[in-house]
Amino acid sequence: MGAGRFAPSPSGELHLGNLRTAILAWLFARSTNRAFLMRVEDLDRARAGAEELQLADLRAIGLDWDAPSVRQSDRAEIYASVITQLREHRLLFECFCTRKDISEASSAPHAAPGTYPGTCRNLTPTQLAAKREVRPAALRLRSEATEYTITDVLHGKFTGVVDDFVVLRNDGVPAYNLAVVVDDGLQGIDQVVRGDDLLSSAPRQAYLANLLGYQIPVYAHVPLALNTEGKRLAKRDGSVTLSQLAVHGIDAQQARSMMLASLGLPTNSLQAALAAFDPALLPTQPWVLTTDPASERGMRIAPENR
Ligand code: GLU
């Protein structure tokens, strides 16, 4: 039996867009007889208390998972051993570039936008020694591919860039792209459901998973929730977290009904939604939330999201 997962970053409360993605991850896993796991991705964006709040909100909307949640900050030794393994296979190199160095170099003609231009890939021992004096190095993967193709339930075959991406940041923290691949690989996750803002990262991650001998998951990158300005939903949009909604008398069950309705699914229970769930019928457009604090109950959710 494989497994699906939800992997929130505990940077604050989850909003309806995050919770809707969690419901989708649960529906995808449960409808394919997979286990469902929860992983707290707290390597960089952790805020005190957010993990507990997020897990409580996920439970409040009725989601369950099959093992105690895993926390990335407890797994430093695992990431370190994978980094050692990659280093021993000469698959890493030290990089001293700043963000500015990279954006200047990658804006040169012929460079693919946003990709690492290879600046530090082949430094001589003398150059290396000089650069080490100036700043600590990040470690990048010495990729042998420039692109990789993944399979996505909603996007079909998707080919995207693979460059020499960072696996260990220069402050010693494992990079998201390393941690996510190692965790999914070692947790036996073979189905990754998450927001479609991460679609472009999937080829890099699948390339690394393959290199490490892990099974490459099947992906489902689902549409995000947007505010009325077409920007990614955020807590400051108001009336978008369970606690904000509670102030207006809307409880977790009602919030879940709004999210299920936005997916075109029965709203009375998660079991009913599961019975009706069919990825082929999911909306392909973002969910646009209209929050209207002036309305009688403090909010209104646009119903026309199919
Ligand atoms: N922790 C990431 C986020 O909250 C999600 C990573 C993933 O699902 O692969 O954006």
Side-chain angles (χ1 to χ4, degrees):
M1 183 176 70
R5 48 64 157 190
F6 185 61
S9 300
S11 53
E13 262 177 283
L14 297 171
H15 58 57
L16 292 177
N18 310 130
L19 291 168
R20 183 177 183 253
T21 300
I23 291 175
L24 281 168
W26 185 92
L27 288 168
F28 268 97
R30 295 295 186 219
S31 64
T32 52
N33 295 316
R34 286 178 163 90
F36 186 61
L37 302 177
M38 193 59 67
R39 184 170 71 234
V40 178
E41 299 205 322
D42 61 345
L43 287 181
D44 51 7
R45 285 177 291 156
R47 187 188 275 184
E51 173 182 331
E52 292 71 21
L53 277 178
Q54 292 189 340
L55 296 178
D57 282 356
L58 291 161
R59 282 194 200 95
I61 57 166
L63 300 186
D64 58 356
W65 45 98
D66 297 317
S69 59
V70 162
R71 196 179 294 126
Q72 286 187 327
S73 59
D74 294 335
R75 296 166 64 80
E77 285 172 21
I78 298 174
Y79 308 129
S81 77
V82 173
I83 287 169
T84 303
Q85 191 189 332
L86 289 169
R87 198 200 304 251
E88 284 172 0
H89 284 84
R90 302 188 180 283
L91 285 167
L92 302 182
F93 66 89
E94 290 173 59
C95 172
F96 304 87
C97 294
T98 60
R99 269 175 215 275
K100 187 158 168 267
D101 293 335
I102 293 170
S103 69
E104 281 172 6
S106 67
S107 64
H110 313 302
T115 62
Y116 179 68
T119 319
C120 296
R121 197 176 216 251
N122 298 308
L123 296 178
T124 63
T126 318
Q127 289 171 319
L128 255 180
K131 293 213 180 231
R132 281 182 186 146
E133 296 291 314
V134 182
R135 57 196 313 262
L139 294 180
R140 288 182 182 272
L141 186 69
R142 196 177 282 283
S143 300
E144 278 153 19
T146 53
E147 56 179 39
Y148 204 76
T149 301
I150 58 132
T151 304
D152 187 290
V153 179
L154 303 177
H155 297 262
K157 295 261 180 239
F158 174 81
T159 301
V161 169
V162 177
D163 59 356
D164 293 340
F165 57 89
V166 172
V167 296
L168 186 71
R169 301 181 346 196
N170 77 351
D171 59 2
V173 177
Y176 157 68
N177 278 324
L178 178 93
V180 74
V181 168
V182 170
D183 290 340
D184 285 344
L186 298 184
Q187 291 187 285
I189 283 159
D190 64 351
Q191 181 189 58
V192 167
V193 179
R194 57 187 180 189
D196 61 14
D197 53 328
L198 288 168
L199 178 62
S200 63
S201 299
R204 289 183 178 88
Q205 294 171 6
Y207 174 78
L208 178 58
N210 185 49
L211 203 60
L212 291 169
Y214 303 145
Q215 180 175 1
I216 297 177
V218 62
Y219 295 92
H221 287 91
V222 301
L224 296 176
L226 305 180
N227 66 18
T228 42
E229 283 159 30
K231 301 229 173 73
R232 215 191 287 186
L233 196 68
K235 201 177 155 191
R236 64 177 171 278
D237 290 317
S239 303
V240 294
T241 66
L242 294 190
S243 65
Q244 289 170 333
L245 291 171
V247 173
H248 298 290
I250 296 171
D251 68 16
Q253 312 307 313
Q254 289 167 294
R256 184 181 70 202
S257 296
M258 295 190 279
M259 293 183 272
L260 290 173
S262 80
L263 295 166
L265 291 167
T267 58
N268 45 339
S269 74
L270 271 182
Q271 286 309 321
L274 180 58
F277 181 65
D278 177 355
L281 300 178
L282 285 177
T284 54
Q285 296 305 309
W287 182 33
V288 181
L289 266 100
T290 315
T291 54
D292 181 2
S295 80
E296 197 193 335
R297 301 192 65 198
M299 80 167 300
R300 189 164 55 82
I301 303 268
E304 69 278 7
N305 285 289
R306 267 276 2 200

